[in-house]
Amino acid sequence: MPLINTQVGAQKYSAGSTLLLSAGIALLMISAAEAQSETQAAAGNGAENGVEKSVFGHLPDGRQVDVYQFTNANGIELRVTNYGGIILSLKTPDMDGKFDDIALGFDALEAYLSDEYRQANPYFGAIIGRYGNRIAGGQFSLDGETYSLATNDGSNHLHGGDQGFDKVLWQAEPFESDAGNGLVLRYTSEDGEEGYPGKLESEVTYTLTDNDELMVDYRAVTDKATPINLTQHSYFNLKGEGSDTILDHQLMINAPEFTPVNDTLIPTGEIRSVEGTPFDFTQATPIGERIEQENEQLAFGGGYDHNFVLARDNAASDELVLAAKVWEPRSGRLVEITTTEPAIQFYSGNFLNGDLTGKQGQAYGHRSGFALETQHYPDSPNQEAFPSTILEPGETYRSRTVYRFSAQQDLGS
């Protein structure tokens, strides 16, 4: 509120009026100071805009890494760092209103940078790119040229290579919108980075809505044709991270088919019906019900680590369709995933072995978290029958995935 010039104003009043005016101005200044203090306090604790920013640590080269915390109107809390775009934690309520962190991960940057973590490389909570999942033999041909990539998964290329998007520092910009509060992350991958052609400018946006949704939007452009298959690699345990296995979680995947793999987890090219197999999750089924069955595909993955072909029917390429639902009976927590992508990779945490300790000081044991990664099919650059993942100059790559969180007595329909 603008204040009048007290000297000029005082000349127009008697001495008594001048005292009254001075007192009034003083009260106005006190009120303004109190209001400013309240506003600053609200901004500091996130009460007004639901956004907090703090320092998470520093990379070995000295660059600062930040963490952003968002809280929606119902108390759901999301923490994200601009290192790898990692979702550090996600706190949601159970049926009794008790909040637990359901995302596997760590409280300290050093844990994500440790040799132990990098050797295990579970990609907790990270953005995956340029290419999520595997590319056979670490190479592909495009426009008459063969490109060689890192072979960081046996003889194959996995999740963007040695220094994929999960290990880079993204530019971060928090925002408020009618949809909710969130974070825009931007990263430019230079031509030749990790062997990929073209300068790729990528943007990933996390939005936490008051409808208890986490929206993840992907956008990218390139100056040279290049494969792209961005995804999000969070692991969830709906009992709370650090709890026991996810084998009792009931899973529904809206997929009548999946892509079987060879013994190095590269798709064979076949698209196979799930009917009559352990891969039939068209009706909600406990994850552990068939995971130990004698089945060649389960043996190859050590459990579930497979790409499921979603039932998109006649949906437009930019239309959200139901991909999966997961419900945990003890807490009642439910996550529903919709996406514009044609497929989803279900990974049952088969390679977690207790070597990594999470935020509550509990070791992440075998199958203590699951990942559902919306995506195009693995090895698409080498398989012409699969939907193309090639982005051309002048085109814009767009993809959206929405996670909706709730709690209820049963999974329902």
Side-chain angles (χ1 to χ4, degrees), residues 120 136 150 216 266 301 345:
V216 186
I266 294 294
Q345 181 89 4

Side-chain angles (χ1 to χ4, degrees), residues 20-32:
L20 287 172
L21 179 64
S22 299
I25 290 171
L27 287 171
L28 285 171
M29 294 178 70
I30 291 170
S31 297

Side-chain angles (χ1 to χ4, degrees), residues 131 226 228 342 376 380-381 383-392 397:
Y131 199 93
T226 189
I228 181 170
H376 272 57
S380 290
Q383 309 223 20
E384 292 184 3
F386 287 177
S388 176
T389 55
I390 303 302
L391 179 65
E392 300 281 352
Y397 169 91

Side-chain angles (χ1 to χ4, degrees), residues 3-262:
L3 297 177
I4 63 172
N5 185 309
T6 56
Q7 183 177 4
V8 174
Q11 294 174 353
K12 297 183 180 180
Y13 295 90
S14 63
S17 299
T18 301
L19 289 173
L20 287 172
L21 179 64
S22 299
I25 290 171
L27 287 171
L28 285 171
M29 294 178 70
I30 291 170
S31 297
E34 289 176 345
Q36 183 178 10
S37 176
E38 290 173 358
T39 299
Q40 290 172 341
N45 62 22
E48 181 174 287
N49 57 14
V51 180
E52 294 182 48
K53 175 184 175 183
S54 57
V55 176
F56 194 46
H58 293 83
L59 297 177
D61 62 9
R63 286 178 296 166
Q64 178 174 303
V65 177
D66 297 316
V67 58
Y68 299 81
Q69 180 173 306
F70 307 90
T71 307
N72 77 354
N74 303 313
I76 289 181
E77 178 191 288
L78 171 72
R79 296 177 69 243
V80 179
T81 175
N82 58 335
Y83 175 72
I86 294 170
I87 291 176
L88 299 171
S89 66
L90 179 62
K91 295 180 180 178
T92 69
D94 64 10
M95 286 186 295
D96 298 322
K98 178 178 178 291
F99 282 77
D100 286 302
D101 184 358
I102 62 172
L104 276 61
F106 309 114
D107 279 328
L109 175 63
E110 290 73 21
Y112 292 97
L113 302 178
S114 70
D115 290 340
E116 183 180 42
Y117 179 77
R118 292 204 168 203
Q119 288 170 7
N121 219 4
Y123 302 92
F124 286 154
I127 295 170
I128 303 298
R130 287 186 192 190
Y131 199 93
N133 221 306
R134 294 170 175 86
I135 295 178
Q139 64 178 25
F140 63 91
S141 296
L142 181 59
D143 296 334
E145 186 170 347
T146 298
Y147 294 90
S148 295
L149 312 171
T151 51
N152 59 325
D153 182 55
S155 61
N156 301 318
H157 177 79
L158 176 65
H159 289 337
D162 293 328
Q163 189 77 9
F165 287 5
D166 60 297
K167 299 181 184 70
V168 301
L169 190 63
W170 294 67
Q171 292 181 335
E173 181 182 348
F175 67 87
E176 300 175 61
S177 70
D178 292 340
N181 298 323
L183 189 69
V184 180
L185 295 160
R186 298 183 179 91
Y187 177 69
T188 298
S189 176
E190 297 295 340
D191 183 20
E193 183 174 296
E194 290 297 312
Y196 287 95
K199 179 180 179 180
L200 186 77
E201 297 179 39
S202 302
E203 181 178 283
V204 179
T205 302
Y206 294 126
T207 306
L208 180 63
T209 78
D210 288 336
N211 293 323
D212 297 342
E213 296 170 327
L214 172 58
M215 300 192 301
V216 186
D217 288 286
Y218 307 87
R219 179 184 177 278
V221 294
T222 184
D223 63 1
K224 188 185 297 184
T226 189
I228 181 170
N229 191 26
L230 302 182
T231 192
Q232 220 292 329
H233 207 294
S234 284
Y235 290 67
F236 297 112
N237 186 320
L238 300 184
K239 299 172 189 174
E241 64 87 26
S243 299
D244 56 9
T245 75
I246 44 82
L247 296 179
D248 61 342
H249 288 47
Q250 293 192 25
L251 170 65
M252 189 283 291
I253 303 179
N254 183 27
E257 299 168 314
F258 76 110
T259 53
V261 296
N262 63 23

Side-chain angles (χ1 to χ4, degrees), residues 175-413:
F175 67 87
E176 300 175 61
S177 70
D178 292 340
N181 298 323
L183 189 69
V184 180
L185 295 160
R186 298 183 179 91
Y187 177 69
T188 298
S189 176
E190 297 295 340
D191 183 20
E193 183 174 296
E194 290 297 312
Y196 287 95
K199 179 180 179 180
L200 186 77
E201 297 179 39
S202 302
E203 181 178 283
V204 179
T205 302
Y206 294 126
T207 306
L208 180 63
T209 78
D210 288 336
N211 293 323
D212 297 342
E213 296 170 327
L214 172 58
M215 300 192 301
V216 186
D217 288 286
Y218 307 87
R219 179 184 177 278
V221 294
T222 184
D223 63 1
K224 188 185 297 184
T226 189
I228 181 170
N229 191 26
L230 302 182
T231 192
Q232 220 292 329
H233 207 294
S234 284
Y235 290 67
F236 297 112
N237 186 320
L238 300 184
K239 299 172 189 174
E241 64 87 26
S243 299
D244 56 9
T245 75
I246 44 82
L247 296 179
D248 61 342
H249 288 47
Q250 293 192 25
L251 170 65
M252 189 283 291
I253 303 179
N254 183 27
E257 299 168 314
F258 76 110
T259 53
V261 296
N262 63 23
D263 60 357
T264 70
L265 301 182
I266 294 294
T268 62
E270 178 188 359
I271 296 177
R272 183 183 299 176
S273 172
V274 300
E275 187 176 356
T277 77
F279 296 84
D280 188 350
F281 287 97
T282 53
Q283 300 294 319
T285 305
I287 290 172
E289 185 168 298
R290 299 167 302 198
I291 201 168
E292 298 295 346
Q293 284 187 9
E294 288 190 17
N295 178 278
E296 182 181 60
Q297 288 297 306
L298 290 175
F300 286 159
Y304 296 104
D305 191 3
H306 293 76
N307 174 67
F308 288 75
V309 178
L310 297 177
R312 293 195 60 85
D313 300 325
N314 296 318
S317 60
D318 61 350
E319 183 179 345
L320 290 168
V321 301
L322 178 65
K325 295 181 181 181
V326 189
W327 178 72
E328 196 280 305
R330 188 173 72 191
S331 67
R333 289 190 179 92
L334 170 68
V335 57
E336 301 169 85
I337 303 172
T338 56
T339 188
T340 60
E341 287 294 302
I344 191 167
Q345 181 89 4
F346 169 42
Y347 173 55
S348 51
N350 312 312
F351 298 109
L352 298 175
N353 61 6
D355 286 349
L356 300 174
T357 300
K359 288 163 281 189
Q360 300 300 317
Q362 299 296 318
Y364 288 147
H366 191 222
R367 296 174 179 156
S368 59
F370 68 88
L372 286 163
E373 307 148 57
T374 56
Q375 59 175 21
H376 272 57
Y377 306 178
D379 198 36
S380 290
N382 293 314
Q383 309 223 20
E384 292 184 3
F386 287 177
S388 176
T389 55
I390 303 302
L391 179 65
E392 300 281 352
E395 297 177 343
T396 300
Y397 169 91
R398 297 182 190 276
S399 177
R400 168 176 280 194
T401 295
V402 180
Y403 305 82
R404 187 176 186 277
F405 302 96
S406 59
Q408 55 193 52
Q409 291 286 347
D410 55 55
L411 181 56
S413 58

